[in-house]
Amino acid sequence: MEKMTRVSGTVSGCTMFCHLDAPANAISVCRDATQVVVAGRNIFKIYGLEEDGFVERLNLRVGRKPSLNFSCADVMWHQMEENLLATAATNGAVVTWNLARPCRNKQEQLFTEHKRTVNKVCFHPTEVNMLLSGSQDGFMKCFDLRKKESVSTFSGQSESVRDVQFSIKDYFTFAASFENGNVQLWDIRRPDRYERMFTAHTGPVFCCDWHPEDRGWLATGGRDKMVKVWDMSTNRVKEIYCVQTIASVARVKWRPERRYHLATCSMMVDHNIYVWDVRRPFIPFATFEEHKDVTTGIVWRHQHDPYFLLSGSKDSTLYQHMFKDASRPVDRANPEGLCFGLFGDLAFAAKESLMSAPQSVGDVGRKTYPGGDRRYPIFFFKKPDVTEQFAQVSSALSVFESEAGSSVGMDWFINTAQSYLLSGKPFAELCEHNAQVAKRLNRPQESTTWTMLRIMFSEPANPSLSSNHNLNKSGNLPLVNSFSMKEMSAALNERNKENRQDNLHSLETNLNNNDENEETEGSEGQAEYLFGDAELDDDDLYSMEHDNQAAEEPEYLLPQEAFPLRHEIMDHPSAPEPVQEKPESPHVSGSEAESTCLTPMESFSLISVSQLLFSPHLPPKFFCPIVKEMLCYYAEQGDVQMAVSVLIVLGDRIRKEIDELTQEHWYMSYIDLLQRFELWNVSNEVIKLSTCGAIMCLNQTSTTLHINCSNCKRPMSNKGWICDRCHHCASVCAVCHHVVKGLFVWCQGCSHGGHLEHVMEWLKQSKHCPAGCGHLCEYT
Amino acid sequence: MGHMLSKFNVIGPLAASRLKKKKKKSREVHTFVFTSRVPLSRSVDDKNRMFVARSIAADHKDLIHDVSYDFHGRRMATCSSDQSIKVWDKGGNGEWTCTASWKTHSGSVWRVTWAHPEFGQVLASCSFDRTAIVWEEIVGESNDKQRGQSHWIKRTTLVDSRTSVTDVKFAPKHMGLMLTTCSADGVVRIYEAPDVMNLSQWSLQHEISSKLSCSCISWNPSSSRAHAPMIAVGSDDSNVTYGGKVQIYEYNEVTRKYAKAETLMTVADAVHDIAFAPNLGRSFHVLAIATKDVRIFKLVPLQKDSSSSAPTKFEVQVLAQFDSHNSQVWRVSWNITSTLLASSGDDGCVRLWKANYMDNWKCTGILKGDGSQVSGQPGALSGVLGSATAQSALNGATGR
């Protein structure tokens, strides 16, 4: 057949539909794409395709009592003879219709040779009088329309025939698909046996379609939800593409003019029509989602026009779909995946074409394509074909691992959790220890907070002795007790909040700094200090303002106007300083004055009442609201670790100030974090030290250890260390013969064991039990 | 076009050197230094380098739609349009190895997510094929072990949706073993496994109809008893004429139903991803949204008397809004302390956002997509300066 002229320009229209009287089973268009026939159990009509809608042209169901011959399973419009139609009836009849007949009844021929439903009829693409049928009874028949009976019968010897299709390029060949999953190729001249047979699907093959251009490409669709493309031109039939759809495939039709595209619809569940690019078998290229019930027939409107698709459905509608109105699932599919890992790692997967976009595109301040979709690399000056782009796609996966010791990592959290002391020592020592830990981990704010807490809540009786002693050793907190509190607060009150915080912060951090107290430059601008953990950019933000930053620790400078320092304090750090303004108040010790230098949040509120500081005895209770505020601040900054640690260390001093629910919330959050990092010991310690009922019961759920006495090897029944049978201590280390406190490890076989480190040491040298019982101990 | 050309000139040498680099094997680990414009006294090695990029040959045959770390950060799952899920385990040397790869759905797999390890090694996935599936890893009884492959078996298939299931998330652990899905037809479904030992039995507890095509969901992770279970739903409905593309539903103890507590009317563009920040003891909630831009919302619950059955009222504040991806933003993800937000967009970059103490959010880093480059200091830089800095970073990297 000579190739028709391109018609894409001449065929026009829009997405449109019309209601049918009954569900459609099949549709077919005539060659010039002007009319469509719809056939079903109770419908057999011809519609004209107009610009703006369907127009009913002819109803072929005539007669008062339509016979079963009208109940169509399939219909086909002859592509050579525009008046000729064939239908397959559910009662096994094959009927041809001639629209040129003058009377109302257009029925021309009736073949009643099949015993069961005829699933498919197919005209030969070039031979006018040749018609092929495939039936549920397992036979295919070839009819010559000039004769009353079939010319030849083909027995598939398989099961029911679901589809028959003449090859478009090979005159004598047709393909048939079967319910048992086979596809057969026949030569029309040889009814005795098939040329080839292969198993295409598991389960029924509902449909097949020859590629309009590629000789030998056959697409098949089956109940196994697959569409497969086979290359028949080779000696062995080869599966070249496989598309997995989400429901059994009822129809498959190659898209005209698009070599790799085909349209499918499904038999149940899914009502959509998909157009696939077989090279990208996972995402539909386009989807038509109009139908409300199963789509039963799809056909491209014109055999050289890829833009119009007609479909009939069980929902009794006939649709014309425009390709430009199709939804494109790939546009909605997101091309990137991103996830933050526990340790600050970032996993990132993205479409490769996104990432090959030129580098400076990402830079701030350059709006290269305002609002545009830069999904495609711009160094393709000519945009490549959309369909080509669709087919070639892949993602790159990479993990950005947070560098050890970098600020995005979570090492600080683990280190802090493991190093903090929460109990077991006097309050002041705990604070001091924790301050040291925080300082070592380069977290000056937390360090200062601990120090402040120690000062605020230490016994007023021995304020300076022990603490100052510690201070001298550690050297991290020189005493600043000699500046004018009045002046300071007055100056501060005039400033806006931000500046106040900055300056206060400078003041506070200056306490950490043993050098250069008299330096007065810098810090006029906004020193953007970020509180909280994990500073990403503190280098940057500091160094913007403090160019002279040279020491290992950042230096914070006092603005002169706010804090006039009366004298150098470095030289006498340990002795309580006489207070200049109020020499008559003898009780102001160094530590009390220090306590004004709090973390920025609380210091602000403290300053406003700074007069009170000079009263001789400041009860620790005085600080509770401030400390509470501070804890909330830490929690809101995401540092629940600090909040909980302080809560535990302060214990009763603060507990009543914070409502139970909040405490429980903090505990839960912190414990959850610890467990994420698999810090089980710390988590357990926190649970043990907590005072919330809901938390404490977390580790009181029934955990039972069954142990044997290492001496008599009987199960230990009573609580305690002494076996009630042999009256020996059951937990003696077999290596050092001391009673084990702490981690006790024992062999489940012989019940002997001891200190973890001793047993580990022992097992390096010997496999036998250290107790000498001869057992080959196994520790897991 | 002229604009484009001039731009092309600017980036020309960079692109060339980048291309040269790309020819190297993809398994190679690139190390990049995060440089600052200001001379620094600290040793460059310990503070300035933020990330080491390690690219992984994922070998998915189509787009990867989601990556997800497990609870402890040692395993990773990827899902792709090629209908498969891969599980990656981190070895002692930091190398990620694929320990399982299997075909899961009969359509694109949009999302994969891990359950809390208390419930076992459990994954849930959702797909274009209208299902969500719960998977469990089986230890032993498989000869795959020799190949270093673990075995994942399907525990249940949730088939209630009539359209593509666009997101699946496990509820926070304290709520038990619960799973939420949302679908393109706008239905959010909440399932519960009444017996945590039996992963094959899930009952549909709630069906919330959001009226808009849903694209993403996020549970409020707060474990506080003061916060009722809450879920945020984002819609990718493309009609920008009306807002409210993010809806927040809250469980009501009295009615035992989820009721809409808040609609973010200011969000009018399609929302692609949504993420509550880890709560960590906060009294309020922070929500990041990926739409045309990155947005961060703060939801402060207002006091309510506990007797009323009305949903909690919130004071909604916009903390930040960034359009520096210049196009669609596809993903947002919080770090564990909720101090850092990462976002990725159509520009192929990952941007990191951080707040200072004033709650001013700023960009603190840009990571180029294929891991080939980490460029820094975006905040105040002009474009030219930015590329110059990037170039020096790049040169440093190639010299390494």
Side-chain angles (χ1 to χ4, degrees):
Chain A
M1 195 173 90
E2 77 282 14
K3 191 164 177 174
M4 301 192 80
T5 50
R6 287 211 156 207
V7 284
S8 40
T10 59
V11 177
S12 60
C14 55
T15 296
M16 60 190 187
F17 76 101
C18 73
H19 286 288
L20 309 171
D21 312 328
N25 274 346
I27 60 170
S28 185
V29 280
C30 70
R31 191 178 65 179
D32 59 2
T34 54
Q35 294 181 90
V36 57
V37 57
V38 182
R41 243 168 218 284
N42 298 308
I43 185 172
F44 189 20
K45 278 183 181 174
I46 290 175
Y47 287 88
L49 286 160
E50 302 287 329
E51 276 286 310
D52 48 357
F54 292 98
V55 177
E56 185 178 330
R57 290 275 159 78
L58 190 62
N59 188 355
L60 290 158
R61 283 172 71 90
V62 290
R64 205 156 285 146
K65 263 201 149 187
S67 78
L68 276 178
N69 294 345
F70 288 103
S71 168
C72 304
D74 191 33
V75 64
M76 186 165 180
W77 205 311
H78 203 295
Q79 293 301 297
M80 302 288 289
E81 185 60 63
E82 63 178 18
N83 285 328
L84 205 54
L85 296 169
T87 58
T90 48
N91 62 355
V94 174
V95 192
T96 60
W97 312 78
N98 190 348
L99 302 180
R101 280 172 73 103
C103 57
R104 277 186 65 213
N105 189 349
K106 309 289 185 189
Q107 181 174 329
E108 185 151 279
Q109 291 255 46
L110 178 69
F111 305 101
T112 51
E113 295 180 32
H114 284 294
K115 303 278 186 301
R116 297 179 64 190
T117 300
V118 179
N119 286 319
K120 194 76 190 173
V121 285
C122 181
F123 283 112
H124 195 276
T126 50
E127 194 60 53
V128 177
N129 289 316
M130 199 184 287
L131 175 69
L132 191 65
S133 67
S135 160
Q136 199 73 15
D137 61 12
F139 293 99
M140 295 146 282
K141 285 175 188 290
C142 184
F143 304 96
D144 186 330
L145 300 186
R146 292 160 296 194
K147 293 179 181 168
K148 287 278 177 218
E149 287 179 357
S150 63
V151 184
S152 46
T153 301
F154 309 86
S155 169
Q157 318 247 317
S158 290
E159 274 183 59
S160 307
V161 185
R162 295 308 299 237
D163 200 358
V164 285
Q165 291 286 342
F166 275 111
S167 167
I168 293 162
K169 300 285 181 184
D170 292 315
Y171 186 87
F172 294 112
T173 309
F174 72 90
S177 70
F178 293 88
E179 241 167 39
N180 60 359
N182 288 343
V183 169
Q184 296 176 350
L185 281 194
W186 291 80
D187 188 317
I188 200 84
R189 299 160 297 184
R190 291 200 54 188
D192 52 331
R193 64 160 292 130
Y194 50 81
E195 301 270 286
R196 321 171 95 161
M197 182 171 83
F198 59 95
T199 304
H201 293 266
T202 53
V205 187
F206 289 132
C207 51
C208 59
D209 194 36
W210 291 94
H211 198 283
E213 280 143 38
D214 266 298
R215 182 188 295 257
W217 277 24
L218 181 74
T220 60
R223 194 169 68 190
D224 59 1
K225 306 178 184 177
M226 310 260 216
V227 175
K228 292 182 181 177
V229 179
W230 306 88
D231 188 355
M232 305 284 199
S233 58
T234 49
N235 275 337
R236 245 183 118 253
V237 175
K238 204 171 66 186
E239 179 189 323
I240 47 176
Y241 295 107
C242 177
V243 175
Q244 167 97 57
T245 72
I246 66 173
S248 56
V249 181
R251 309 269 175 186
V252 54
K253 286 274 181 265
W254 287 99
R255 187 178 176 199
E257 312 288 325
R258 293 289 183 276
R259 183 180 167 138
Y260 295 102
H261 286 191
L262 49 80
T264 66
C265 66
S266 76
M267 187 154 280
M268 53 191 75
V269 183
D270 192 0
H271 312 151
N272 296 345
I273 300 163
Y274 300 104
V275 178
W276 304 86
D277 186 317
V278 291
R279 294 167 300 175
R280 189 173 176 188
F282 308 114
I283 300 186
F285 178 73
T287 312
F288 300 104
E289 294 164 346
E290 280 85 1
H291 283 300
K292 302 278 181 291
D293 202 340
V294 172
T295 306
T296 48
I298 48 173
V299 60
W300 294 94
R301 180 168 162 185
H302 192 278
Q303 53 181 320
H304 293 288
D305 182 0
Y307 300 109
F308 292 92
L309 181 73
L310 300 170
S311 68
S313 160
K314 284 233 165 81
D315 65 5
S316 303
T317 56
L318 173 66
Y319 259 94
Q320 170 172 278
H321 307 278
M322 284 277 287
F323 216 79
K324 67 175 173 57
D325 295 334
S327 77
R328 306 293 180 103
V330 77
D331 290 347
R332 301 182 90 181
N334 97 46
E336 288 176 341
L338 179 70
C339 189
F340 246 119
L342 187 60
F343 300 95
D345 305 1
L346 257 179
F348 180 50
K351 192 166 154 186
E352 268 173 352
S353 59
L354 288 183
M355 299 191 301
S356 54
Q359 174 149 25
S360 56
V361 167
D363 284 343
V364 178
R366 273 179 165 253
K367 287 211 169 184
T368 47
Y369 290 87
D373 182 348
R374 275 184 283 95
R375 200 164 302 179
Y376 309 112
I378 64 152
F379 34 69
F380 297 159
F381 284 103
K382 193 177 136 214
K383 256 200 167 184
D385 185 16
V386 179
T387 60
E388 290 307 307
Q389 272 185 357
F390 178 81
Q392 295 151 12
V393 70
S394 63
S395 281
L397 175 65
S398 45
V399 173
F400 301 107
E401 292 173 358
S402 63
E403 183 79 342
S406 88
S407 46
V408 281
M410 290 298 289
D411 306 344
W412 63 270
F413 179 88
I414 301 171
N415 283 333
T416 309
Q418 286 170 338
S419 316
Y420 269 1
L421 284 180
L422 302 178
S423 67
K425 283 189 177 175
F427 170 75
E429 280 178 50
L430 290 180
C431 288
E432 185 56 33
H433 174 89
N434 293 345
Q436 291 294 319
V437 168
K439 184 171 170 0
R440 199 175 68 235
L441 293 170
N442 212 351
R443 306 178 72 215
Q445 191 185 355
E446 283 74 7
S447 173
T448 315
T449 305
W450 282 113
T451 311
M452 290 303 149
L453 286 171
R454 189 202 70 215
I455 295 161
M456 283 189 278
F457 289 96
S458 284
E459 292 299 309
N462 53 349
S464 50
L465 271 166
S466 67
S467 56
N468 281 342
H469 182 60
N470 284 340
L471 276 175
N472 285 340
K473 266 200 303 195
S474 59
N476 75 327
L477 191 81
L479 298 178
V480 182
N481 48 8
S482 53
F483 46 74
S484 154
M485 298 308 295
K486 271 182 181 166
E487 266 187 65
M488 190 173 91
S489 56
L492 283 172
N493 284 333
E494 283 161 23
R495 302 174 140 245
N496 62 31
K497 187 185 175 192
E498 189 178 347
N499 276 340
R500 258 185 294 207
Q501 290 203 343
D502 287 340
N503 291 329
L504 277 171
H505 180 70
S506 302
L507 162 69
E508 165 229 324
T509 41
N510 190 40
L511 296 176
N512 280 338
N513 205 324
N514 284 350
D515 323 318
E516 310 189 45
N517 274 342
E518 299 286 357
E519 283 275 351
T520 52
E521 58 166 291
S523 132
E524 266 88 20
Q526 309 180 337
E528 290 191 66
Y529 184 73
L530 308 189
F531 299 124
D533 53 66
E535 303 298 339
L536 263 186
D537 44 358
D538 49 358
D539 297 336
D540 170 36
L541 293 173
Y542 279 136
S543 41
M544 299 258 204
E545 326 303 334
H546 306 280
D547 277 0
N548 61 343
Q549 179 179 7
E552 199 199 342
E553 242 184 88
E555 297 165 359
Y556 307 99
L557 306 168
L558 280 183
Q560 191 175 25
E561 70 277 18
F563 311 105
L565 289 174
R566 289 302 158 91
H567 61 96
E568 178 64 55
I569 57 169
M570 275 311 298
D571 297 330
H572 8 255
S574 58
E577 291 287 318
V579 178
Q580 305 283 315
E581 278 76 28
K582 298 207 173 183
E584 74 277 10
S585 78
H587 292 286
V588 175
S589 68
S591 58
E592 276 178 14
E594 273 171 42
S595 60
T596 60
C597 313
L598 304 169
T599 51
M601 286 306 282
E602 71 263 31
S603 55
F604 178 48
S605 51
L606 187 58
I607 295 301
S608 57
V609 292
S610 58
Q611 297 296 355
L612 281 176
L613 286 171
F614 298 92
S615 73
H617 295 290
L618 209 50
K621 258 211 161 65
F622 169 77
F623 299 103
C624 284
I626 296 152
V627 173
K628 180 193 173 188
E629 200 179 312
M630 176 200 74
L631 292 183
C632 293
Y633 166 77
Y634 274 114
E636 305 210 334
Q637 291 292 306
D639 192 359
V640 74
Q641 180 176 50
M642 190 69 188
V644 171
S645 303
V646 170
L647 199 60
I648 291 174
V649 169
L650 284 180
D652 285 331
R653 296 175 182 87
I654 189 73
R655 192 174 301 135
K656 291 180 200 73
E657 299 290 320
I658 299 168
D659 67 295
E660 191 83 349
L661 213 57
T662 312
Q663 285 192 35
E664 185 186 317
H665 190 191
W666 291 349
Y667 275 119
M668 288 301 272
S669 306
Y670 187 42
I671 289 165
D672 183 69
L673 264 184
L674 291 170
Q675 292 183 349
R676 274 191 167 230
F677 286 100
E678 299 172 38
L679 298 165
W680 312 111
N681 291 341
V682 185
S683 145
N684 208 44
E685 190 188 355
V686 170
I687 293 173
K688 228 161 69 184
L689 292 172
S690 79
T691 47
C692 292
I695 305 297
M696 294 215 299
C697 71
L698 281 180
N699 64 355
Q700 289 174 4
T701 45
S702 50
T703 305
T704 315
L705 277 181
H706 296 281
I707 53 172
N708 288 346
C709 169
S710 62
N711 199 37
C712 63
K713 302 192 178 160
R714 299 236 179 83
M716 298 275 288
S717 52
N718 62 343
K719 294 167 186 157
W721 293 10
I722 305 294
C723 171
D724 56 352
R725 290 202 180 77
C726 60
H727 302 291
H728 276 82
C729 180
S731 52
V732 174
C733 176
V735 181
C736 70
H737 301 289
H738 287 293
V739 175
V740 182
K741 287 178 173 177
L743 288 178
F744 181 65
V745 62
W746 71 96
C747 169
Q748 306 231 333
C750 66
S751 308
H752 293 124
H755 293 103
L756 176 62
E757 55 267 42
H758 289 164
V759 172
M760 279 166 72
E761 192 74 17
W762 178 270
L763 288 174
K764 278 183 197 156
Q765 300 156 9
S766 169
K767 287 179 177 170
H768 291 271
C769 177
C773 68
H775 187 254
L776 280 168
C777 291
E778 277 187 44
Y779 293 93
T780 48
Chain B
M1 187 58 88
H3 178 52
M4 200 155 92
L5 273 175
S6 66
K7 203 172 89 52
F8 198 76
N9 285 338
V10 173
I11 60 105
L14 281 174
S17 62
R18 262 178 50 74
L19 285 174
K20 233 180 279 166
K21 273 175 58 56
K22 277 199 81 168
K23 283 190 186 132
K24 293 184 193 167
K25 281 281 160 284
S26 61
R27 302 281 295 181
E28 187 181 347
V29 177
H30 308 289
T31 307
F32 300 94
V33 179
F34 204 80
T35 50
S36 167
R37 288 178 298 132
V38 185
L40 283 166
S41 54
R42 278 185 216 170
S43 80
V44 167
D45 283 319
D46 62 344
K47 261 309 215 187
N48 301 315
R49 192 191 294 162
M50 267 167 47
F51 288 105
V52 180
R54 188 190 287 273
S55 70
I56 297 170
D59 201 28
H60 274 292
K61 290 180 185 60
D62 207 309
L63 288 183
I64 297 172
H65 296 298
D66 200 16
V67 286
S68 173
Y69 276 106
D70 79 332
F71 188 73
H72 295 301
R74 303 241 160 82
R75 314 189 85 185
M76 187 166 72
T78 55
C79 66
S80 158
S81 260
D82 69 6
Q83 307 173 353
S84 69
I85 291 178
K86 287 176 196 255
V87 173
W88 306 81
D89 283 358
K90 194 177 188 175
N93 54 356
E95 194 80 17
W96 290 92
T97 46
C98 179
T99 55
S101 171
W102 72 102
K103 185 180 175 302
T104 53
H105 289 266
S106 50
S108 299
V109 188
W110 299 134
R111 297 268 196 167
V112 60
T113 186
W114 293 86
H116 192 279
E118 189 176 296
F119 305 115
Q121 291 297 307
V122 178
L123 279 175
S125 60
C126 65
S127 161
F128 184 72
D129 72 1
R130 306 169 175 192
T131 63
I133 300 184
V134 177
W135 307 91
E136 188 180 19
E137 187 178 33
I138 297 299
V139 181
E141 69 194 77
S142 162
N143 50 8
D144 282 344
K145 272 283 178 241
Q146 279 100 35
R147 300 203 311 270
Q149 296 285 294
S150 61
H151 193 59
W152 289 81
I153 63 167
K154 187 191 290 187
R155 286 303 186 196
T156 197
T157 308
L158 306 170
V159 294
D160 298 284
S161 174
R162 307 305 303 159
T163 52
S164 174
V165 183
T166 48
D167 200 354
V168 61
K169 291 275 156 62
F170 284 100
K173 187 199 78 176
H174 64 268
M175 292 173 61
L177 186 50
M178 292 180 90
L179 187 66
T180 320
T181 64
C182 72
S183 55
D185 58 1
V187 182
V188 177
R189 294 181 174 84
I190 300 175
Y191 299 87
E192 181 170 16
D195 176 9
V196 295
M197 300 305 290
N198 181 4
L199 289 167
S200 20
Q201 212 178 56
W202 293 81
S203 56
L204 180 58
Q205 297 284 337
H206 301 280
E207 251 186 357
I208 311 165
S209 178
S210 81
K211 308 271 195 315
L212 289 173
S213 160
C214 298
S215 58
C216 47
I217 42 180
S218 176
W219 278 98
N220 181 0
S222 170
S223 59
S224 167
R225 280 186 287 133
H227 300 149
M230 189 201 285
I231 189 165
V233 182
S235 165
D236 62 353
D237 189 287
S238 50
N239 189 341
V240 296
T241 52
Y242 47 88
K245 297 292 162 57
V246 173
Q247 301 173 353
I248 293 165
Y249 294 90
E250 194 190 53
Y251 184 67
N252 192 309
E253 290 291 346
V254 182
T255 58
R256 301 190 174 195
K257 281 199 170 68
Y258 281 84
K260 196 185 285 181
E262 189 65 55
T263 306
L264 302 183
M265 292 312 291
T266 52
V267 184
D269 291 297
V271 173
H272 303 115
D273 200 9
I274 192 166
F276 272 110
N279 180 271
L280 298 184
R282 285 199 200 87
S283 57
F284 54 87
H285 316 297
V286 178
L287 185 65
I289 292 167
T291 167
K292 277 292 235 199
D293 43 25
V294 184
R295 283 186 216 186
I296 304 171
F297 284 91
K298 180 176 176 181
L299 304 170
V300 185
L302 302 175
Q303 287 299 333
K304 69 162 187 176
D305 53 313
S306 50
S307 58
S308 85
S309 64
T312 317
K313 289 267 181 293
F314 293 96
E315 183 197 337
V316 182
Q317 305 165 12
V318 182
L319 292 183
Q321 187 166 351
F322 304 107
D323 59 356
S324 38
H325 281 290
N326 280 347
S327 53
Q328 294 294 332
V329 181
W330 290 106
R331 285 287 192 242
V332 283
S333 179
W334 290 95
N335 76 342
I336 189 67
T337 52
S338 73
T339 46
L340 263 180
L341 177 71
S343 67
S344 71
D346 258 346
D347 57 358
C349 295
V350 177
R351 286 165 199 273
L352 299 173
W353 311 95
K354 184 172 172 55
N356 67 4
Y357 69 99
M358 294 295 288
D359 252 359
N360 284 328
W361 287 78
K362 288 212 167 125
C363 182
T364 60
I366 303 175
L367 310 175
K368 278 300 264 187
D370 53 359
S372 62
Q373 193 201 342
V374 179
S375 70
Q377 301 309 318
L381 300 186
S382 73
V384 177
L385 192 53
S387 55
T389 321
Q391 183 164 26
S392 65
L394 187 77
N395 291 343
T398 41
R400 203 162 268 267

